[in-house]
Amino acid sequence: MDIRLGNGFDVHAFEDGDHVILCGVRVPHTKALKGHSDADVGMHAVTDAIYGALADGDIGQHFPPSDPQWRGAASEIFLRHAVELATSRGFSISSVDCTLICEWPKIGPHAFDMKDKMANLMVLDSDRVSVKATTSERLGFTGREEGIAAIATATLVKL
Ligand code: MG
C-alpha cells in the first residue's frame, strides 16, 4: 500500500464586496475576497494539499495567475483537476481536512454545506471530508480582518 500525505496553505485579502466563496459555498459577508479566480481560499488549500501528496507542484503552476483564462474561474475547476491527476496515477483520496482561519464570517453555520460540496466534487463520502474553522484570537492579519487564511491536509492511497 502506497500512502501519501500533502499539505496546502493559502491566503486571500479582503476587498469591497458583499459575499465570499469558501469551500464552494457562497457566504454573505460585508467584504469579498480578492483574487484572480473566485478567491476560494479553502478550496485552493485543499487543491494544493492534493498536489502536494502527489509531489506535483502547486495550483499556481497548474493554473498560472498570469493566464487570463482563469480570471474569475470557479475554483472547483482546480480541485477537479487535482482529483483527476490523483486518479490518473492510481491514487484514491482517503481523507481531506481543511481549516479556515478568520474572525468573520462565522463558518460554523456553513460548515456542513462546505463539507458536502467538497465531498461531492471529489466524489468522496462526506465522512472523509472535514471543514472546520478557528480564529487567530484577533492577532495578525486574520485577526485584523484583513483577509482569510486556510490550511489543508490530504491523504492519498494506492492499493
Ligand atoms: Mg489562492
Side-chain angles (χ1 to χ4, degrees):
M1 190 189 287
D2 188 351
I3 300 174
R4 309 284 179 95
L5 184 68
N7 67 60
F9 174 72
D10 197 27
V11 171
H12 282 267
F14 283 127
E15 62 179 6
D16 289 343
D18 62 7
H19 73 279
V20 294
I21 306 286
L22 293 172
C23 297
V25 174
R26 183 188 167 104
V27 178
H29 190 41
T30 53
K31 298 169 183 172
L33 287 173
K34 186 177 176 180
H36 192 70
S37 65
D38 64 6
D40 188 335
V41 63
M43 204 171 282
H44 292 181
V46 169
T47 302
D48 257 352
I50 296 169
Y51 288 138
L54 294 169
D56 192 340
D58 57 43
I59 199 168
Q61 286 174 266
H62 291 283
F63 298 94
S66 55
D67 189 335
Q69 70 173 305
W70 309 123
R71 185 181 301 278
S75 295
E76 57 184 71
I77 293 169
F78 312 149
L79 181 57
R80 280 214 182 94
H81 175 266
V83 172
E84 284 164 14
L85 197 61
T87 305
S88 74
R89 303 220 176 130
F91 284 95
S92 54
I93 297 170
S94 177
S95 71
V96 164
D97 185 18
C98 178
T99 302
L100 298 165
I101 305 159
C102 58
E103 303 291 332
W104 297 98
K106 287 299 165 201
I107 303 302
H110 308 282
F112 181 84
D113 287 346
M114 292 174 182
K115 173 184 158 91
D116 197 47
K117 174 81 181 182
M118 292 214 296
N120 279 329
L121 283 171
M122 294 185 283
V123 198
L124 292 178
D125 292 339
S126 62
D127 67 353
R128 292 180 181 274
V129 180
S130 160
V131 175
K132 57 197 196 299
T134 186
T135 71
S136 55
E137 297 289 343
R138 305 214 69 86
L139 296 171
F141 67 88
T142 54
R144 292 188 297 270
E145 299 181 39
E146 295 169 0
I148 299 181
I151 58 170
T153 305
T155 310
L156 275 53
V157 179
K158 190 194 286 189
L159 295 174

